[in-house]
Amino acid sequence: MFASVDPVILARIQFAANITFHILFPTISISLGWVLLFFKLRYNKTGDESWMDAYRVWVKIFALTFALGVVSGITMSFQFGTNWPGYMETVGNIAGPLLAYEVLTAFFLEATFLGIMLFGMRRVSNRTHTIATLLVAGGTTLSAFWILALNSWMQTPAGFEMIDGRAHVTSWIEVIFNPSFPYRLVHMLLASGLTVAFLLAGISAYRWLRNDRAREVMHSLRTGVMLAAMLIPLQIVAGDLHGLNTLHHQPAKIAAMEGIWKTEKGAPAVLFGIPDATTQSNKFEIAIPKLASIYLTHKADGEIKGIDAFADRHPPVTPLFFAFRIMVGVGLLMLAVSWLGTWQIRRQGAPAPWLARVLVAMTFSGWIALVAGWYVTEIGRQPYLVYGVLTTAQAASKVPATMIGSTLAMYLSLYLMLIVAYISVVFHLARKAGKPGAPTEMPQPVIGQPRSAQ
């Protein structure tokens, strides 16, 4: 069945499937760790047991998420050797150390202190448990730092020189803090925060609709809605700055995202259309004149390079065009729901039934925006694996299409089952936490003292 398909295309689809599945879980764990720290600090300050009740519920979800992130990350790393040997052969002097730094400085930190977070509440002092939560949260962010440093370098490579076909570092500072890294790091961290905000709000709204009126439910719901309301305006600003940086370093990606086929001044913003690569035009186009030039160059007559300026060195237009609009559309929906939800909860003190249902429906909306944005980033780099240095075709292996296709089918089946299982378990934990008669308190050590001292 796969024999007639280009092996490079299959390898790309396989890696896309792996990275799509993998990125869902670190995105949650990065910010959920900080939310757990917030819950713990609120408990330390107020002594209100309901904050620890919220912590106990969400630390289980954090542990589940962390475990799936680790497993999917291992699977993805194997593909560097099986499907993309040319990648490590060419840029392994840069990619290898950055991946190693992530494991040594971040993963070990998270994995070590996660055990204290999960099982140490009654075995160590409250202060030690709080520090463990802080270190796990910091470890997740540090992990994102190193992975995004590598990914950003692949988008805007700097601080290296090519010797005998291999990249050699001339400045690690320039490699790590490459031109797009600050924008990508901020954009990703905010995306993680928004994903967790709607996960918190959605699961809590689900419990609320099931008549679970525990105080921890409203703590989590308010935290989620208000966190989203604060972060989404910041994400809009960060996204605009990231777009300007991309226009400077990867103009072909911007042309594909915006559906601009011909270089022109005063380029319109295409709200909707169906890109047609054959005619190099957008069918059924709905556009606002000059708007793209205004928000990309901040000039009404600013020039935007079109696809025609890049010959065959440009990404496929259609997937970028629609992925970008999905990301922006979900972001605008998040803005409306979070602001309206904040106003409604502040006014009435509790979510209205319609708001709770909307929040439940948007529980995993962060995943949709995130994956769409990730596709814009990764597909937009094509035909390069490392922009301007190494093409995807040059890095691909000689593995037969039938072999790649069979493992791809296996991966997709497994990932589908795991996604369904993950979502089911998350909602199961929510139902279990809200069972009538379920214990709402758990003996806790006096703040700052070990249990043995009580």
Side-chain angles (χ1 to χ4, degrees), residues 26-27 30-31 102 106-107 110 137-152 181 184-185 188-189 192:
T27 302
I30 288 168
S31 288
E102 188 268 337
F107 175 73
E110 299 168 60
T140 60
T141 304
L142 188 59
S143 180
F145 175 93
W146 290 116
I147 296 301
L148 285 169
L150 174 56
N151 183 266
S152 299
F181 172 70
R184 293 181 193 282
L185 179 63
M188 183 63 189
L189 292 180
S192 172

Side-chain angles (χ1 to χ4, degrees), residues 4-5 15 32 36 38 42 46 60 78 88 110 117 142 153 191 205 247 252 264 268 291 324 353 397 424 433:
S4 60
V5 183
F15 194 80
L32 187 53
L36 288 171
F38 171 74
R42 290 296 298 161
T46 65
K60 295 175 184 177
F78 280 131
M88 295 304 288
E110 299 168 60
M117 282 179 62
L142 188 59
W153 181 84
L247 177 64
E264 60 183 304
L291 183 58
F324 178 66
S397 70
S424 300

Side-chain angles (χ1 to χ4, degrees), residues 235-423:
Q235 183 68 304
I236 292 172
V237 174
D240 178 63
L241 294 174
H242 186 20
L244 296 177
N245 177 265
T246 303
L247 177 64
H248 179 71
H249 294 282
Q250 297 175 301
K253 180 186 292 187
I254 292 293
M257 289 164 51
E258 298 291 342
I260 299 173
W261 294 93
K262 307 294 183 182
T263 301
E264 60 183 304
K265 294 182 179 181
V270 181
L271 303 181
F272 177 79
I274 300 178
D276 186 341
T278 303
T279 62
Q280 293 204 337
S281 63
N282 301 316
K283 296 180 178 179
F284 312 108
E285 181 178 284
I286 300 174
I288 300 176
K290 299 183 180 295
L291 183 58
S293 287
I294 291 174
Y295 62 67
L296 287 172
T297 69
H298 297 170
K299 297 178 182 178
D301 61 346
E303 182 177 276
I304 305 296
K305 289 184 178 180
I307 295 296
D308 64 339
F310 304 101
D312 61 343
R313 295 290 176 169
H314 65 81
V317 176
T318 301
L320 261 69
F321 183 86
F322 286 111
F324 178 66
R325 277 146 189 79
I326 291 171
M327 178 185 68
V328 172
V330 174
L332 292 176
L333 183 61
M334 287 178 167
L335 176 67
V337 171
S338 62
W339 281 18
L340 188 60
T342 298
W343 172 79
Q344 196 268 316
I345 291 174
R346 281 183 174 272
R347 184 183 179 193
Q348 298 185 11
W354 66 265
L355 175 62
R357 293 188 183 96
V358 170
L359 290 174
V360 172
M362 293 188 65
T363 300
F364 293 98
S365 58
W367 275 0
I368 298 173
L370 175 86
V371 169
W374 197 249
Y375 283 1
V376 169
T377 295
E378 299 307 296
I379 298 175
R381 188 178 55 211
Q382 294 300 316
Y384 294 104
L385 201 56
V386 179
Y387 200 77
V389 176
L390 177 69
T391 66
T392 303
Q394 290 171 336
S397 70
K398 303 298 183 182
V399 177
T402 51
M403 181 67 72
I404 300 175
S406 60
T407 54
L408 171 61
M410 180 186 67
Y411 281 136
L412 290 175
S413 301
L414 178 61
Y415 290 162
L416 179 61
M417 290 188 293
L418 287 174
I419 284 289
V420 172
Y422 175 82
I423 294 175

Side-chain angles (χ1 to χ4, degrees), residues 57-58 202-214 216-217 220 360 429-431 433-434:
V57 170
W58 285 98
I203 295 299
S204 301
Y206 174 74
R207 294 178 63 184
W208 184 266
L209 289 173
R210 290 174 58 84
N211 294 316
D212 184 353
R213 298 296 188 262
E216 64 174 280
V217 176
S220 299
V360 172
L429 290 173
R431 291 191 297 272

Side-chain angles (χ1 to χ4, degrees), residues 125-194:
S125 69
N126 185 69
R127 179 178 297 176
T128 299
H129 190 259
T130 301
I131 293 173
T133 304
L134 171 62
L135 291 175
V136 170
T140 60
T141 304
L142 188 59
S143 180
F145 175 93
W146 290 116
I147 296 301
L148 285 169
L150 174 56
N151 183 266
S152 299
W153 181 84
M154 292 167 64
Q155 302 281 343
T156 53
F160 74 104
E161 62 180 353
M162 299 298 295
I163 302 176
D164 296 329
R166 295 189 177 188
H168 293 264
V169 175
T170 58
S171 170
W172 277 110
I173 296 296
E174 292 181 13
V175 166
I176 296 170
F177 298 98
N178 57 80
S180 66
F181 172 70
Y183 302 94
R184 293 181 193 282
L185 179 63
V186 172
H187 199 51
M188 183 63 189
L189 292 180
L190 290 172
S192 172
L194 286 166

